[in-house]
Structures are given as structure tokens and as C-alpha cells.
Amino acid sequence: MFSLNGPLWRALNFIGDVVILHFLWVVHSLPLVTIGASTTALYYAAMRRIRTDEGSVWSNFRQSFRENFRQSTLYWLGLALAAAVLWLDLNFTSTYGGPAATVMMVACAMLLLPYWMVLLYIFPVQAKFRNGMFDNFKNALLLAIRHFPLTLVLTAIWATVWLLLAIWPAFTGFLIICGAGALACLTAPVYIQIFRKYLPGELEDDLDRSGGGFFGRLGK
């Protein structure tokens, strides 16, 4: 129970890694323009921590941040620009009436769903697969559609976070302490299960490297 390999120590160690991941994400996101790279690194480190627990979350985070900086930053800038355009269009349509405004509102509403799907998947996909930017964007959307039930699960997790923020102010303190790390580790098993469908043999390899423990069964 109280040994270094016991469940209590492993649980405390995991909680500590969640907090470390959160603050790594916050620090590396401070310039704002680097949020994409830090989010990719966050998911890379979280998935590795859950799959096989190889390496430290610090070293895994920094490695991914360096390797994926360029593409992830471009993703983030593109998504931020698209969000700004959608917001301006929706603001315009709500201010001015008429047929043109109605058509624009419908068009923007239709774009929100694929935008959210890409936003959910693009950084975990970048963390997992080495492809060009176009391929990763395409794969993010296709994965979201193909695994729509799990996409709904991911959406429900994020919706729950926003709901808790709205009805329980104390939840803000939890997010300040470990929000990013907790969300990454909570959603990482969903992405792991999706990605393993396209990586035959990964589960067996993870079980071998992790000794078949709990985290190995989930996958990193």
C-alpha cells in the first residue's frame, strides 16, 4: 500500500505529473502565439504518461514542443484567425438584419461544427503522427467524423467543464492549479483508443514496455 510501487504512491505521483503538465502548458503558452505548440506538447506528454509512463513528463513535453513548434504554431494562428472571422460575421449578422445577414448567419453556423471537430483533434493528431499540415487537418476532420460517438464524449467533457465554471465558482481554483493537465489526462485515453485503430501492435508493445500495468492497459 505504502511502497514506492504501491497504488497510493502511484496515484500521488500521477497527480503530481498532472500539476506539472498544467504549469508547463501555462508557462509555454504565455506568449499566446505558442499556445498551439504547448497544446501539442501537452497531449504528447499526457498520452505517453498514460500509455507506458516512459520518461518524465517534463522531458516529453519539452521534446514535443521543440519538434512540433512550427506546424503547431501555424495551426494555432490559422484557427485563431478563423475564429475571429466567424465571431465578426456572427456579430455582424446579429447587429444587422436582412436576407444577407440571415444567409451569413446560416453559413457561419454550418461552419462551427467542422471547426470544433478540427479544434478537438488537430493538436493530438499532430502530437501522434508525422504528416504534413494539410494531411493532419484532413485527418483531424475525418477522425472526428469517423469516430463521432467518441467525438461526442470529448465534447461532453468540455461542456461539463464550462458548465461547472458557470454554476460552481470554486471550480476556477481547480483549473488554476491543474486544469490543463487534468483535461489532457482525462481526454488522452479517448484519443489513445482512436489512434490505436490505425497503429496495429501498439497495445501489445505498450503492455510489454509498461509491464502490463494499469497505465499500459489504457495505452500511453
Side-chain angles (χ1 to χ4, degrees):
M1 179 68 174
F2 298 101
S3 69
L4 293 180
N5 292 322
L8 179 61
W9 177 256
R10 291 177 63 189
L12 292 175
N13 190 38
F14 184 75
I15 293 172
D17 284 342
V18 168
V19 175
I20 291 172
L21 280 175
H22 169 73
F23 283 101
L24 283 172
W25 182 83
V26 170
V27 170
H28 287 77
S29 297
L30 286 179
L32 297 183
V33 72
T34 60
I35 289 178
S38 61
T39 303
T40 297
L42 175 68
Y43 276 107
Y44 176 82
M47 287 190 286
R48 287 203 64 176
R49 176 62 172 87
I50 294 173
R51 280 178 49 219
T52 58
D53 193 20
E54 288 184 319
S56 67
V57 293
W58 172 274
S59 61
N60 289 333
F61 186 100
R62 294 301 300 272
Q63 175 188 340
S64 177
F65 186 85
R66 292 191 301 269
E67 292 178 353
N68 297 289
F69 182 83
R70 179 179 175 276
Q71 282 192 205
S72 297
T73 300
L74 292 176
Y75 294 146
W76 167 245
L77 294 177
L79 289 168
L81 178 61
V85 171
L86 287 172
W87 182 85
L88 289 173
D89 287 344
L90 289 172
N91 187 58
F92 173 82
T93 57
S94 62
T95 304
Y96 302 96
T102 302
V103 172
M104 186 177 294
M105 177 173 289
V106 172
C108 289
M110 293 176 63
L111 290 173
L112 285 177
L113 180 58
Y115 178 86
W116 173 247
M117 287 180 170
V118 170
L119 187 62
L120 271 179
Y121 280 82
I122 186 62
F123 298 113
V125 166
Q126 175 65 29
K128 187 67 176 178
F129 301 101
R130 294 183 179 275
N131 292 313
M133 291 187 62
F134 175 78
D135 288 334
N136 275 345
F137 262 109
K138 178 187 68 176
N139 292 336
L141 183 58
L142 290 177
L143 286 172
I145 295 171
R146 179 173 292 181
H147 302 280
F148 191 70
L150 291 178
T151 301
L152 291 178
V153 171
L154 293 168
T155 301
I157 292 173
W158 282 99
T160 301
V161 170
W162 288 108
L163 180 62
L164 288 173
L165 276 174
I167 66 176
W168 187 24
F171 187 66
T172 305
F174 171 80
L175 293 182
I176 292 174
I177 295 172
C178 61
L183 278 167
C185 290
L186 186 61
T187 56
V190 179
Y191 293 115
I192 290 167
Q193 297 306 318
I194 292 172
F195 297 156
R196 275 183 174 164
K197 296 182 183 296
Y198 307 94
L199 298 168
E202 183 184 75
L203 176 58
E204 290 75 13
D205 183 57
D206 287 349
L207 289 172
D208 290 339
R209 289 189 292 162
S210 65
F214 171 73
F215 293 120
R217 288 196 298 273
L218 276 181
K220 181 176 172 183

